[in-house]
Amino acid sequence: MRIANWRSVVVAGFALAALAAGAGVAQAQTFGIGARMVSVSGPESPALDDSDSSRTRLWGGYARVHVVGNLGFEVAMDYQSTTNESETARVRNTPIQVSALLLPVRKSFAPYALAGLGWYRHKLEALDGGRTVATANVTDFGYHAGAGLQLKFGRHAAIFADYRY
């Protein structure tokens, strides 16, 4: 297992620990925090190379709050770092997304629609012997919309999956 994969495991472990710590805070699915895994594919994928059909996996966390009736909000932040094989360049991606959620059905198994804004920070570092010798930062701004499904497990836990474009 490469070092980058170990970092992903550590980040996911910390995110799951935060989820467990926050489980007592959640009240009837009004507020929730948790870990998430994001898979990005296509020509806009932030991967350093196209060897894996331009698919990138990011790890992060989110906070969701259901404010009134069928309306909720989510803030999510992810992280991914990739170094090329010759170890001369590293790309660090940190997307932040803010989304509004519309849950027309408030049941244990509920579909939802979402839309929001995203800030996508990319940091490119030139490396020489493992040291950073030059840095370039780019921040993109964009919109997203999508749909998903949420499955509640009692009053204090849920799992969800969604597609965002």
Side-chain angles (χ1 to χ4, degrees), residues 92-93 120-124 136-140:
R92 296 178 191 217
N93 298 297
Y120 308 94
R121 183 169 183 246
H122 312 283
K123 182 176 185 180
L124 176 60
N137 291 306
V138 175
T139 301
D140 297 321

Side-chain angles (χ1 to χ4, degrees), residues 82-162:
T82 304
T83 304
N84 65 355
E85 288 192 27
S86 60
E87 296 186 359
T88 58
R90 176 174 42 226
V91 175
R92 296 178 191 217
N93 298 297
T94 312
I96 299 172
Q97 294 181 336
V98 178
S99 306
L101 307 167
L102 179 61
L103 292 101
V105 179
R106 296 286 308 254
K107 301 285 184 185
S108 293
F109 184 72
Y112 61 89
L114 61 89
L117 306 171
W119 293 265
Y120 308 94
R121 183 169 183 246
H122 312 283
K123 182 176 185 180
L124 176 60
E125 300 172 304
L127 303 175
D128 183 18
R131 293 180 320 132
T132 302
V133 294
T135 302
N137 291 306
V138 175
T139 301
D140 297 321
F141 176 80
Y143 303 96
H144 60 272
L149 295 170
Q150 175 175 280
L151 178 61
K152 291 186 200 178
F153 299 104
R155 293 178 32 159
H156 299 292
I159 188 169
F160 62 90
D162 56 44

Side-chain angles (χ1 to χ4, degrees), residues 38-50:
V38 178
S39 181
V40 180
S41 62
E44 297 162 3
S45 175
L48 192 60
D49 58 44
D50 293 331

Side-chain angles (χ1 to χ4, degrees), residues 16-40:
L16 287 173
L19 173 64
V25 175
Q27 297 176 356
Q29 293 296 23
T30 301
F31 176 76
I33 60 171
R36 68 187 227 145
M37 187 277 300
V38 178
S39 181
V40 180

